[in-house]
Structure formats: C-alpha cells, structure tokens
C-alpha cells in the first residue's frame, strides 16, 4: 500500500497542527483525490430508497431475507455488505420495534468490526491512520459527554452479542474521534443519506474561505478544488455552514471542533454587514433593538433545532395524525419568528433566510409546492450572494426550486433553475458524476 497521494503531502500547518497541502497546481473543478470510506452507514430513514452497500438509488431493491430491513441492488452488494450488516441483522430481528441505536453507535460498531478484520491499513488511510485522528476527548463538555455515554449504552445493548467492545475509556475516545471527524453523506439536494469516516480527508483543516469541497460518489468522498491552487497552498474545507456571520461561525467551531478560525474572512468580517442587513427607515432602528433581535433570532434557531430533534424522536413511534400536528406547529413557529424578525431585518438577513429555509422544508414535507416555491424564490438570490462560489447550498436550492417548478408544470422556470445549478455542480461533483447525468437527462425530457 502506498503511503502518499500524488500531488499532496502532509505538513505542519502553522497554528493548526497537521494539515494537507498541494505539491502541484490544481485548476478549479479538478479532482485532488478520491477516498473510499473506512466505514459508513446508511441512515435508517433512507432504507428502501438506497442500497445499503453502494448507496445507489434505484427502484426494485432486493430486501434482506432475514431482517427484512436492509435493501440491496443485487446479490453482489448484499454479500459485500454482509460483514457489516450481520452486526445488525439478527439484532433487528430480535429487538424488532425496540431496535433503536443512534447512527453514531451504528457507525462506531462498524468501525470496531472493521478494525478487528483489518490486517493492514486500507485505501482510506494512505496518509493518516484512523487511530491517529484527533479526538479532543478532554475538551468535550458535559452535554456532549452525556450524548456519548448514551451512545455507548446503545452500543452495549444492541451490539455486545456480536462484537467485542473495548473498555469505556477507549470507547469515549473513539466516539469523540467520530464526532470530530465524521462526514455526513448527502445527496444532490443536501438531504442526509448516511454517515462515514474518511481518515485521509479528516486531515484537511478548516477555513471560512475554503480552497476545496468534499462531495460524494456512492460511499466515496471526492475532494475538488473550488479555486485555482498552486504548489504549497494548503488544502482547506469548511467544517460548517458558511451562511452565518463571523461570531456565529466561530461559536459553532468552538462548540463542535474546539478552535476559533482566524482566516481572512474572520479577520475582516467583510460579509457580516450584508448578512445582518436591517430594514431602512426614515427613523433608523436603534442599535439596541438590532442587538435584541439578533439574540431573539439565535434563541429561536436553538429552540427550533431542539423541537425538530424531539419531533424526530417521537415520530418514530407516534401516529401519522400526531406527526401532522408537529409539522403544522413547526411551520407556525417559522412564520411567527419571520413576522417578528421582519420588523427589523431585511428578507436577505441570514436569520430570515434560515427561517424561510426551514419553512420551505416543512412545505415540501406537507406537499405544498406553491408554498415551498414562495419561500425558495426569496432565498435563492441572497444565497448566491452570501455563499462562496460553487457552494452546494446554492446549487441544491436551484435543484429544489427546479423540481418544484416542474411539479406544478412551470417547465421553463424549472429548466432555468436547473441551468443555474449545473455549472456549480460541474465544479463540485465533476462533469461526469451520476447527479449531472441525471440532471441533464431530466432537462432533456422537458
């Protein structure tokens, strides 16, 4: 097994620790490297839509004959997944509706199984071994530690029969490593498909002005340049959503990754004024009113996230009519906060955009296409101005809008939205990616 990736090298990044830099030039859209997952898991809610092994989306997937829960393209995929699926297959059958490990616990179980089977380092560890990933286990706050403790309890409950588990301290370290270094695999509209570990990709440091983007081809991660790079340039991705102002971004980085970003954008805060735009009035809004509304917006976003977490947990075991009640309440929360914030903030303010995006998602869930379109049309232009070039947040919004337009027979509007998504996706995913082929096919049919 080679111990390097052509055109890249590991180095000590000033102020950041280990990092990755290029040793040759890369053009915008060019692939730096592809990395297979060390281990991965399909989200439970996507079962039946995607193959558990290769993450292909297709009709007529074959069901596992024993547990009746996992689905595959064919026998080859089923056999390929068996070393991992067998950890869950009999347990799902035994526990039935009580089988409910977290996605984190499921991924850690697969990592442990892989480590036991592994005789040499694998293709995802060409420059960084999985055991050498940063954990920040000593920096974890009590709330996150409690979550890890719950995940460990789930691991013992659902996997101890088929898996030899390390001691508690080692498990805490592993869960911390996965929390800091795990990647969410998303589709072309940024919907969550699963979670994976890519040790070599985990070596890449953060910047709010990223030089590369990570996208997915099946279960493999692909790292592509989103700006021209010259030899010696550090490879930098964004760990977080870049829509928000500097203080919000750094709060998120400190909470989840235990550092503060000092990139040029964080130093200059050049986009913060546009991101926090307030309404123009003949009598200017007082600074104190603006500060209070920012606090209100942040508090509402936290409450909304907590509400959605509770909803997701409860909706597993409650009736459809109660799910509808939760969804309606979620939309009401969004609309109420938009009315409150709209007295001070412009529609292009990021907190307004956040709530509009949530409301759009609820409308899509409720199959209210016209409602979703109304929100989407308000979101897409500010997104294209506030996000960096070649942002998947922008292309996914154009895709959502395009498909919504198509669904209500506004075909020319749909094609126009698709055409705006296409150049972003060609850079981020590569021109020959499955998503691009499907999109071109979708456009040709209309």
């Amino acid at each position: 097994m080679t111990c390097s990736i052509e055109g890249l090298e590991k180095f000590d990044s000033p102020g950041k620790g280990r990092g990755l830099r290029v040793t040759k030039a890369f053009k915008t859209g060019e692939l730096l490297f592809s990395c297979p997952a060390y281990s991965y898991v399909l989200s439970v809610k996507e079962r039946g839509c995607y193959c558990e092994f290769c993450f292909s989306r297709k009709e007529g997937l074959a069901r596992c004959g024993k547990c009746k829960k996992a689905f595959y393209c064919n026998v080859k995929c089923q056999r390929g997944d068996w070393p991992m699926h067998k950890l869950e297959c009999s347990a799902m059958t035994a526990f039935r509706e009580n089988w409910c490990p977290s996605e984190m616990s499921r991924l850690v179980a697969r990592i442990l199984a892989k480590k036991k089977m592994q005789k040499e380092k694998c293709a995802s560890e060409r420059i960084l071994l999985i055991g050498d990933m940063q954990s920040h286990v000593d920096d974890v706050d009590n709330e996150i530690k409690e979550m890890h403790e719950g995940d460990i309890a789930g691991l013992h409950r659902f996997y101890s029969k088929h898996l030899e588990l390390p001691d508690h301290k080692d498990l805490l370290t592993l869960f911390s490593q996965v929390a800091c270094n795990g990647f969410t695999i998303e589709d072309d509209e940024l919907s969550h498909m699963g979670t994976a570990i890519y040790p070599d990709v985990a070596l890449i440091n953060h910047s709010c002005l990223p030089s590369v983007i990570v996208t997915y081809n099946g279960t493999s991660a692909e790292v592509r340049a989103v700006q021209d790079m010259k030899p010696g340039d550090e490879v930098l991705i964004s760990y977080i959503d870049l829509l928000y102002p500097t203080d919000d971004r750094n709060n998120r980085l400190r909470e989840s990754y235990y550092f503060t970003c000092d990139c040029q954008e964080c130093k200059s805060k050049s986009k913060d004024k546009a991101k926090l735009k307030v309404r123009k009035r003949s009598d200017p809004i007082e600074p104190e009113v603006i500060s209070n509304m920012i606090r209100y917006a942040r508090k509402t976003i936290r409450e909304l996230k907590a509400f959605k977490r509770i909803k997701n947990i409860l909706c597993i075991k409650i009736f459809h009519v109660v799910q509808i009640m939760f969804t309606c309440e979620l939309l009401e929360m969004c609309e109420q906060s938009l009315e409150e914030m709209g007295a001070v903030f412009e529609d292009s303010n990021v907190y307004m955009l956040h709530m509009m995006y949530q409301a759009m998602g609820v409308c899509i869930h409720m199959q209210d296409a016209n409602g979703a379109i109304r929100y989407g049309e308000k979101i897409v232009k500010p997104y294209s101005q506030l996000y960096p070039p070649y942002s998947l947040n922008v292309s996914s919004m154009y895709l959502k809008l395009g498909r919504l337009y198509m669904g209500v027979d506004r075909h020319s509007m749909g094609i126009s939205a698709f055409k705006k998504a296409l150049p972003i996706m060609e850079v981020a995913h590569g021109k020959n990616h499955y998503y691009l082929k499907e999109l071109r096919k979708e456009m040709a049919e209309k």
Side-chain angles (χ1 to χ4, degrees):
M1 180 72 67
T2 179
C3 293
S4 63
I5 300 175
E6 184 183 355
L8 298 163
E9 66 179 5
K10 185 166 64 172
F11 80 116
D12 290 325
S13 178
K16 297 179 180 179
R18 300 171 304 187
L20 198 62
R21 66 185 173 193
V22 297
T23 57
K24 66 176 188 178
F26 286 91
K27 293 290 186 184
T28 300
E30 192 174 350
L31 180 71
L32 274 70
F33 70 103
S34 178
C35 182
Y38 180 91
S39 194
Y40 60 91
V41 62
L42 182 72
S43 175
V44 169
K45 69 181 180 63
E46 296 298 345
R47 281 187 156 156
C49 300
Y50 293 91
C51 172
E52 297 264 344
F53 182 64
C54 71
F55 279 30
S56 290
R57 185 182 184 111
K58 58 174 70 172
E59 301 291 331
L61 293 170
R63 191 193 301 257
C64 171
K66 185 176 181 181
C67 68
K68 306 290 193 293
K69 300 288 186 182
F71 291 78
Y72 300 96
C73 295
N74 47 43
V75 172
K76 183 181 177 182
C77 282
Q78 187 169 10
R79 286 176 179 163
D81 195 48
W82 179 244
M84 295 297 127
H85 178 58
K86 69 181 181 182
L87 297 170
E88 300 182 342
C89 190
S90 57
M92 286 192 291
T93 304
F95 282 97
R96 299 190 179 185
E97 69 273 5
N98 293 318
W99 187 85
C100 56
S102 68
E103 197 162 302
M104 177 82 85
S105 294
R106 295 176 65 215
L107 180 59
V108 167
R110 291 176 178 229
I111 292 170
L112 291 170
K114 175 77 173 278
K115 281 184 172 182
K116 188 165 185 179
M117 294 186 296
Q118 191 178 1
K119 292 182 172 57
E120 60 181 22
K121 65 180 182 178
C122 66
S124 59
E125 299 175 291
R126 285 180 287 177
I127 47 180
L128 184 69
L129 297 174
I130 187 165
D132 292 336
M133 294 189 308
Q134 180 64 263
S135 72
H136 289 287
V137 66
D138 296 327
D139 299 318
V140 172
D141 64 27
N142 289 334
E143 184 179 352
I144 294 175
K145 189 174 180 181
E146 283 179 17
M147 288 174 60
H148 291 340
E149 293 286 1
D151 289 334
I152 290 172
L155 197 65
H156 280 282
R157 181 184 181 193
F158 298 109
Y159 292 95
S160 57
K161 187 175 180 181
H162 300 284
L163 196 60
E164 187 178 330
L165 299 176
D167 65 31
H168 192 78
K169 183 180 178 182
D170 288 343
L171 279 176
L172 272 177
T173 298
L174 181 53
F175 272 97
S176 295
Q177 285 178 312
V178 173
C180 285
N181 299 280
F183 285 80
T184 297
I185 300 179
E186 296 169 324
D187 66 10
D188 55 346
E189 291 189 6
L190 299 188
S191 293
H192 180 105
M193 293 166 58
T195 311
I197 283 288
Y198 304 95
D200 288 344
V201 185
L203 188 60
I204 303 174
N205 286 317
H206 164 86
S207 173
C208 299
L209 295 168
S211 57
V212 301
I213 192 168
V214 179
T215 54
Y216 304 94
N217 197 337
T219 61
S220 292
E222 295 184 334
V223 181
R224 281 189 169 77
V226 290
Q227 61 185 49
D228 291 347
M229 302 179 71
K230 62 184 185 301
D233 285 349
E234 183 168 4
V235 181
L236 298 164
I237 57 174
S238 174
Y239 293 179
I240 55 170
D241 189 338
L242 294 176
L243 179 66
Y244 300 92
T246 306
D247 288 347
D248 292 44
R249 294 197 309 274
N250 274 300
N251 284 337
R252 171 72 195 282
L253 288 169
R254 283 189 291 269
E255 287 171 3
S256 300
Y257 302 101
Y258 312 102
F259 71 89
T260 300
C261 182
D262 65 349
C263 72
Q264 187 55 44
E265 178 56 35
C266 286
K267 289 175 181 175
S268 69
K269 302 185 177 183
S270 64
K271 288 189 175 182
D272 281 9
K273 187 174 181 180
K275 291 180 175 184
L276 297 172
K277 195 169 184 181
V278 299
R279 292 200 176 276
K280 288 183 178 178
R281 292 181 180 172
S282 54
D283 52 331
I285 301 172
E286 294 291 331
E288 185 181 357
V289 174
I290 296 170
S291 298
N292 288 339
M293 191 55 71
I294 289 174
R295 281 194 290 272
Y296 166 82
R298 289 171 175 166
K299 178 174 176 286
T300 304
I301 288 171
R302 288 195 300 270
E303 290 173 350
L304 196 67
K305 286 180 180 177
F307 181 85
K308 287 174 73 176
R309 278 198 299 270
I310 295 169
K311 173 183 174 290
N312 290 337
I313 293 168
L314 292 178
C315 283
I316 295 170
K317 295 186 177 182
I318 60 179
F319 294 113
H320 179 64
V321 65
V322 183
Q323 293 184 31
I324 293 173
M325 289 170 60
F326 267 104
T327 304
C328 291
E329 189 173 346
L330 191 60
L331 183 59
E332 190 176 326
M333 286 175 68
C334 294
E335 291 174 340
Q336 184 177 340
S337 64
L338 283 168
E339 185 177 350
E340 188 85 15
M341 292 188 297
V344 175
F345 297 152
E346 284 283 3
D347 284 355
S348 61
N349 183 294
V350 294
Y351 299 123
M352 295 288 285
L353 294 174
H354 179 99
M355 286 301 166
M356 288 182 207
Y357 185 81
Q358 299 300 319
M360 182 183 181
V362 175
C363 288
I364 291 172
H365 181 74
M366 296 172 70
Q367 298 182 341
D368 176 9
N370 289 315
I373 287 170
R374 282 195 300 274
Y375 284 115
E377 287 176 339
K378 289 183 177 181
I379 294 169
V380 71
K381 185 178 177 181
Y383 264 29
S384 63
Q385 295 168 339
L386 298 175
Y387 275 111
Y390 310 113
S391 168
L392 291 177
N393 298 84
V394 179
S395 65
S396 67
M397 182 55 63
Y398 280 122
L399 284 181
K400 282 187 176 80
L401 267 176
R403 288 164 182 161
L404 287 164
Y405 285 136
M406 292 297 187
V408 293
D409 296 326
R410 295 166 66 181
H411 294 164
S412 63
M413 296 288 286
I415 294 295
S416 177
F418 288 156
K419 285 181 177 178
K420 289 175 181 175
L422 201 59
I424 301 172
M425 295 175 69
E426 285 178 341
V427 168
H429 293 284
K431 293 182 179 180
N432 296 318
H433 193 283
Y434 169 78
Y435 291 153
L436 274 296
K437 292 176 182 177
E438 287 296 299
L439 181 57
R440 292 188 191 105
K441 182 180 175 183
E442 203 170 345
M443 292 168 70
E445 288 174 351
K446 297 298 181 183

